[in-house]
Amino acid sequence: QITLKESGPTLVKPTQTLTLTCTFSGFSLSTNGVGVGWIRQPPGKALEWLALIYWDDDKRYSPSLKSRLTITKDTSKNQVVLTMTNMDPVDTATYYCAHRNWDQLLNWFDPWGQGTLVTVSS
Amino acid sequence: DIQMTQSPSSLSASVGDRVTITCRASQSISRHLNWYQQKPGKAPKLLIYAASSLQSGVPSRFSGSGSGTDFTLTISSLQPEDFATYYCQQSYSNPTFGQGTRLEIK
């Protein structure tokens, strides 16, 4: 059974850097084809993909947020870390991590972590 | 980025109704299209992957179809637990989601 859980601060101040950790079990990030993504959802709004890291350490970022994001993995700890710099109140959202499953060239997010609400406020 | 447009944005329906939600991509994405269900305060749950493949454990009243730019999610007979928000997501390139369709009880 695959599970993921996000952890990190619930409140950050504007201009600070946010660091979120996704701790997972049931799969290895060293297995061919596997990936972990981060997705966020502002209150009452739609889902927005942020970043994705693959088993081979390939990394992809949302073009609109690329300059502010860094995604890394620690395979030995079964963790993926997302950092977002220069936080702003508009970044207030629930942040999810999710397992990237795949079949040939097709892929999808399943399952997802429970999410963690991050509020940006002074 | 590939833009995903869902319609309608919201929908009122009754238990037992047949419901269809549409998702359109701004360019062809073949079958790289997934559907998720999200209930209030919960994480999204995968329903359909690769446009038409039913995720294990998902009731058979859910189905997906389409390829290229136009896709549909159909619920054949709405059940009370189906009232939720539904999102499409393309995986052809960097992932993008539709804006969501909120399915409400009439």
Side-chain angles (χ1 to χ4, degrees):
Chain A
Q1 180 192 5
I2 292 174
T3 64
L4 307 97
K5 187 173 184 179
E6 307 85 354
S7 59
T10 58
L11 178 66
V12 297
K13 297 183 188 306
T15 76
Q16 287 187 335
T17 294
L18 172 68
T19 300
L20 294 173
T21 301
C22 176
T23 303
F24 57 86
S25 63
F27 67 96
S28 172
L29 244 184
S30 59
T31 300
N32 189 32
V34 173
V36 171
W38 284 94
I39 302 101
R40 72 178 179 179
Q41 185 174 39
K45 296 188 177 181
L47 301 164
E48 178 185 21
W49 171 74
L50 301 176
L52 188 55
I53 190 165
Y54 294 92
W55 81 103
D56 59 357
D57 210 37
D58 186 19
K59 301 166 187 178
R60 303 299 169 93
Y61 297 101
S62 166
S64 62
L65 293 167
K66 184 175 183 178
S67 63
R68 299 173 54 204
L69 295 173
T70 303
I71 190 169
T72 60
K73 64 180 174 71
D74 186 329
T75 305
S76 65
K77 292 183 178 179
N78 281 353
Q79 290 182 334
V80 171
V81 175
L82 180 75
T83 61
M84 180 180 291
T85 61
N86 194 24
M87 294 292 285
D88 183 272
V90 300
D91 297 313
T92 293
T94 296
Y95 288 75
Y96 297 99
C97 62
H99 170 255
R100 173 194 180 268
N101 205 351
W102 66 288
D103 180 13
Q104 300 179 35
L105 297 179
L106 299 160
N107 63 88
W108 51 92
F109 291 117
D110 179 67
W112 296 51
Q114 65 188 25
T116 185
L117 175 62
V118 178
T119 301
V120 184
S121 175
S122 54
Chain B
D1 279 3
I2 298 175
Q3 307 303 315
M4 306 302 295
T5 303
Q6 287 182 235
S7 60
S9 297
S10 63
L11 175 60
S12 295
S14 301
V15 173
D17 283 354
R18 179 182 180 91
V19 167
T20 297
I21 298 169
T22 297
C23 181
R24 175 165 289 176
S26 60
Q27 68 182 72
S28 178
I29 57 171
S30 185
R31 296 186 301 118
H32 296 253
L33 192 284
N34 309 311
W35 289 97
Y36 302 87
Q37 176 193 66
Q38 187 180 33
K39 295 183 178 180
K42 300 295 186 182
K45 170 189 170 185
L46 178 71
L47 297 176
I48 301 285
Y49 62 94
S52 61
S53 296
L54 190 67
Q55 171 67 348
S56 175
V58 174
S60 59
R61 63 181 179 271
F62 291 92
S63 64
S65 64
S67 67
T69 60
D70 294 318
F71 302 87
T72 59
L73 172 70
T74 299
I75 310 172
S76 61
S77 179
L78 271 175
Q79 297 303 300
E81 61 268 30
D82 299 338
F83 292 94
T85 300
Y86 294 85
Y87 293 94
C88 62
Q89 175 241 327
Q90 65 81 17
S91 56
Y92 184 82
S93 62
N94 283 341
T96 48
F97 291 87
Q99 81 277 17
T101 294
R102 184 175 180 181
L103 180 53
E104 301 174 319
I105 300 174
K106 183 182 283 185

